Amino acid sequence: MNREIAVVAFAQTDHRRTSEELSEVELLMPVLHDVLARTGLRTADLDFVCSGSSDYLAGRAFSFTLALDGVGAWPPISESHVEMDGAWALYEAWTKLRTGDADTALVYAYGKSSPGSLRDVLTRQLDPYYVAPLWPDSVALAALQAQALIDAGDTDEPALAAVAARNRENATANPHAQLRGPVPHGDHVVRPLRRGDCAPVGDGAAAVILAAGERARALTERPAWIRGIDHRVEAHGLGVRDLTDSPSTRLAAEHAGAFERPVDTAELHAPFTSQEIVLRKALRLGDGVRVNPSGGALAAHPVMAAGLIRIGEAAARIHRGASDRALAHATSGPCLQQNLVAVLEGDPR
Amino acid sequence: MPDVLKAPLVVEFPFTRSLGPVQSAFLTGLRERVVLGVRTTDGRTLVPPAEYDPVTAEEIRDLVEVAPTGTVTTWAWNHAPRRGQPLDTPFAWVLVRLDGADTALLHALDAPGPDAVRTGMRVRVRWAAERSGAITDIACFEPYDGGPAQPDGHCGDFADPVTGIVAPARLDYTYTPGRAQTAHLDALAERRIVGERCPSCRKVYVPPRGACPTCGVATSERVEVGPRGTVTTFCIVNIKARGLDIEVPYVYAHIALDGADLALHGRIGGIPYDRVRMGLRVEPVWTGGARHPDHYRPTGEPDADYDTYRELL
Ligand SMILES: [Zn+2]
């Protein structure tokens, strides 16, 4: 079955360093109401619901089942969850719509990093035999990648600082961003990465509604059609990979059709400045492409939602006519281990 | 907004994992101060070894010893070591390609400062004094200015191989239950049970979670429920849980507190286990400084009519 699927609505929280007064469902509910209100849909109208989150962030077991209360999961609904970024939940929902099993889907994701120490928490996703027992934190692993890029002549510290400044300058137009405008580049966290090279740690949530064919046209004026979406993974051994490149991103982009025609906008999920360098190269993004008009992950990085937000931001630009063909990227794992690329288009004007 | 409750929460678990033949040989080798790699079908040597070729996905078993000396392929200076990391003084994270290997191993490098580290520098393994068959048997790397050490050509067969690892994990959190549960817990401290009413369907949820699972809207109107309630259903527990000093058999029940639209659960006491029944009227028993009812006991009232609680089953 070859159905056209579009993102028809997107909503997100204001991302903040902490939302300690809120449980996950309390954090999420306003976003769910917001995204539904944009389409006029009620939860009972949704054919499928899929979410992305990780219990390790807040240290609360089965938190995704409690978060379902915010959707209204009684009477029973068709629902699924990925212990990943919501971009992968969107991929599952897209598949469900493609098969004709559903005409509409709600995809949401949330991350509450404030209760724990994110750098330590993320070590638990690493190879448990050879790597996790050494507790290398997320900044350390990204710093190894950054140094490899510097050694290869792909970047240097001033160029990384410029990436940080440009993203946060872009974020001045993003009311949801956690860091915007001039942000001090700061001291080294793990050299060569400085504070300003790293995404902020914070809490937040996002939601997207997908619809197929005519249903999408009925729900929004200018649907953001998903022309292609694909995700790829690389060897988990960091020392097996060439950290200066991202073949998985390039392959996903090829399969998503990203190279068939130029895009005007790219929302890249790069929690570290150095990773934007890798992604720009892998995706062959020229100077004519508007990269991270939202400020990207360096402006707000609710873990497990930040990738879905890239798709949402790209779609929102198409909805309001600021873009005609946009690329959205999401990543997961250390040093860009897994990558998802989606290509979104608006109807010709 | 009232202060939300907060408490430290520590999640600790010993991750017990079994090893396949390749990982077993590698980690046993470290115990014996031997570093083993595995040869892929295209002739590359992977260190640390994988069980499947990362390119072809073929199973690989061809173990080959490499040198405990090697070259840094990339590094990062860690001036503030964190708990669990290999050294507690500032060190460099390094990827090291050992002599004889085609891929790099992640570990720590003990060096006096970032100026003493560079990509391409020569390093060697510093073995841990006590070794058990784990990646931490390599204490760290240290600077070394010689050529490749010559391995003995160990084939990877060991008399007493390591077959598993225990990788302890510990994460520290500050737990905050959120607005709705904070209100519930605050009330419990005063020996009251408070739920929240859904503004849409008017059902009262206890304990409240901040949202109505039917309507998907926020609940906020506080409603005191109970203290008395009705047993809606129950089970008889016959197996003693470790660390629990309750004699078996005992009864664990769903209890619909008066005024609540959702049953909560609790233990039933003060009545022989085989006399507990649906419809039994009960009330909470608070003991000592406990922050929730210890159990529920019969009130002596006549049993509730089935129709009064059938919707709550
Ligand atoms: Zn309700």
Side-chain angles (χ1 to χ4, degrees), chain B residues 198 200-202 205 212 214-215 217:
Chain B
C198 172
S200 175
C201 68
R202 309 299 295 161
Y205 292 96
C212 172
T214 304
C215 308
V217 297

Side-chain angles (χ1 to χ4, degrees), chain B residues 87-305:
Chain B
L87 296 168
D88 53 16
T89 51
F91 67 90
W93 289 107
V94 282
L95 281 170
V96 174
R97 191 171 53 236
L98 293 170
D99 297 320
D102 294 289
T103 62
L105 171 89
L106 177 80
H107 221 292
L109 169 67
D110 189 5
D115 295 339
V117 187
R118 61 185 170 78
T119 297
M121 79 183 281
R122 298 283 298 158
V123 295
R124 72 173 164 208
V125 169
R126 181 190 296 166
W127 295 105
E130 283 178 24
R131 297 179 306 281
S132 60
I135 191 67
T136 46
D137 288 355
I138 297 176
C140 62
F141 283 89
E142 59 191 23
Y144 165 76
D145 46 19
Q150 289 307 313
D152 295 330
H154 201 290
C155 65
D157 286 337
F158 295 97
D160 174 27
V162 177
T163 57
I165 59 164
V166 178
R170 175 191 164 121
L171 294 170
D172 287 72
Y173 299 93
T174 302
Y175 183 77
T176 60
R179 179 198 52 79
Q181 292 192 60
T182 289
H184 178 71
L185 293 168
D186 281 343
L188 281 179
E190 299 167 7
R191 301 196 166 184
R192 295 183 300 122
I193 299 174
V194 168
E196 284 186 350
R197 192 189 306 277
C198 172
S200 175
C201 68
R202 309 299 295 161
K203 278 192 162 63
V204 172
Y205 292 96
V206 59
R209 301 206 296 239
C212 172
T214 304
C215 308
V217 297
T219 55
S220 56
E221 184 193 338
R222 306 251 157 85
V223 180
E224 187 157 341
V225 297
R228 294 186 167 185
T230 302
V231 171
T232 63
T233 185
F234 63 94
C235 65
I236 299 166
V237 179
N238 285 292
I239 295 171
K240 205 169 159 70
R242 190 159 49 161
L244 202 66
D245 59 358
I246 299 168
E247 287 308 313
V248 293
Y250 67 87
V251 173
Y252 202 66
H254 277 192
I255 299 155
L257 293 176
D258 295 345
D261 293 293
L262 189 70
L264 46 68
H265 27 207
R267 183 168 63 90
I268 306 297
I271 179 173
Y273 72 90
D274 55 357
R275 302 269 312 280
V276 175
R277 57 206 180 261
M278 290 168 73
L280 180 71
R281 294 285 294 161
V282 293
E283 63 188 3
V285 178
W286 304 80
T287 55
R291 285 179 281 185
H292 54 84
D294 177 72
H295 63 274
Y296 290 77
R297 69 178 172 215
T299 62
E301 293 167 278
D303 285 4
D305 268 350

Side-chain angles (χ1 to χ4, degrees), chain A residues 174-191:
Chain A
N174 177 357
H176 304 287
Q178 187 178 333
L179 287 185
R180 60 175 82 95
V183 172
H185 208 50
D187 294 331
H188 285 124
V189 184
V190 179
R191 180 172 159 169

Side-chain angles (χ1 to χ4, degrees), chain A residues 4 11 20 48 50 55 73 84 98-99 102 114 140 148 166 181 185 216 233 281 295 297 302 310 317 333 339 349:
Chain A
E4 287 194 305
E20 65 179 12
F48 184 56
C50 198
D55 284 352
M84 294 186 80
R98 290 281 283 186
T99 61
S114 59
R166 203 204 69 249
H185 208 50
V233 59
K281 184 166 76 171
R310 303 282 73 76
R317 278 178 75 78
N339 295 284
R349 289 181 288 185

Side-chain angles (χ1 to χ4, degrees), chain A:
Chain A
M1 213 166 169
N2 198 8
R3 318 171 85 203
E4 287 194 305
I5 316 293
V7 175
V8 297
F10 168 57
Q12 61 184 316
T13 52
D14 291 343
H15 308 294
R16 296 185 289 147
R17 177 63 189 89
T18 177
S19 57
E20 65 179 12
E21 74 282 10
L22 303 175
S23 65
E24 281 101 329
V25 68
E26 291 166 346
L27 175 74
L28 189 57
M29 218 166 4
V31 174
L32 298 175
H33 294 170
D34 186 358
V35 80
L36 288 165
R38 285 164 194 267
T39 55
L41 290 170
R42 294 166 308 138
T43 50
D45 303 326
L46 299 165
D47 297 330
F48 184 56
V49 174
C50 198
S51 60
S53 67
S54 173
D55 284 352
Y56 276 76
L57 292 175
R60 187 189 290 222
F62 291 101
S63 63
F64 77 92
T65 61
L66 299 177
L68 263 178
D69 286 354
V71 181
W74 180 266
I77 58 173
S78 172
E79 184 268 343
S80 184
H81 174 261
V82 298
E83 194 76 8
M84 294 186 80
D85 189 288
W88 277 265
L90 183 141
Y91 186 91
E92 182 174 334
W94 174 81
T95 309
K96 189 97 170 169
L97 266 64
R98 290 281 283 186
T99 61
D101 255 11
D103 289 331
T104 56
L106 167 68
V107 180
Y108 65 88
Y110 61 92
K112 208 167 175 257
S113 298
S114 59
S117 167
L118 186 63
R119 286 172 69 180
D120 299 324
V121 168
L122 291 178
T123 64
R124 299 303 92 191
Q125 69 177 338
L126 302 169
D127 172 337
Y129 303 98
Y130 302 153
V131 183
L134 305 174
W135 292 83
D137 60 280
S138 46
V139 183
L141 296 175
L144 288 168
Q145 184 170 34
Q147 184 63 45
L149 287 163
I150 291 170
D151 288 334
D154 287 351
T155 193
D156 54 27
E157 287 205 39
L160 296 179
V163 170
R166 203 204 69 249
N167 276 279
R168 287 169 186 138
E169 171 59 30
N170 287 352
T172 52
N174 177 357
H176 304 287
Q178 187 178 333
L179 287 185
R180 60 175 82 95
V183 172
H185 208 50
D187 294 331
H188 285 124
V189 184
V190 179
R191 180 172 159 169
L193 292 179
R194 294 174 184 273
R195 174 65 55 211
D197 290 308
C198 308
V201 175
D203 301 349
V208 155
I209 290 177
L210 298 182
E214 287 311 309
R215 199 68 202 283
R217 288 201 167 82
L219 289 170
T220 191
E221 212 162 292
R222 192 167 196 250
W225 301 108
I226 301 173
R227 294 298 184 211
I229 184 168
D230 194 77
H231 63 97
R232 299 282 156 165
V233 59
E234 290 173 40
H236 70 253
L238 284 173
V240 174
R241 292 159 49 190
D242 171 3
L243 296 180
T244 67
D245 195 12
S246 184
S248 54
T249 298
R250 188 158 45 242
L251 193 57
E254 263 168 36
H255 282 258
F259 301 132
E260 288 166 14
R261 278 193 311 288
V263 296
D264 55 46
T265 302
E267 278 285 341
L268 305 181
H269 184 189
F272 299 95
T273 51
S274 42
Q275 295 181 348
E276 185 178 305
I277 307 282
V278 178
L279 293 171
R280 278 174 176 267
K281 184 166 76 171
L283 292 166
R284 302 172 202 155
L285 297 178
D287 290 340
V289 182
R290 187 89 204 273
V291 174
N292 290 350
S294 68
L298 292 167
H301 193 233
V303 175
M304 299 297 150
L308 180 64
I309 291 171
R310 303 282 73 76
I311 299 174
E313 290 281 8
R317 278 178 75 78
I318 288 169
H319 294 157
R320 58 179 187 262
S323 167
D324 292 319
R325 180 171 157 89
L327 178 150
H329 159 266
T331 194
S332 180
C335 301
L336 302 170
Q337 187 186 354
Q338 308 178 50
N339 295 284
L340 177 148
V341 173
V343 176
L344 307 169
E345 279 183 358
D347 285 326
R349 289 181 288 185

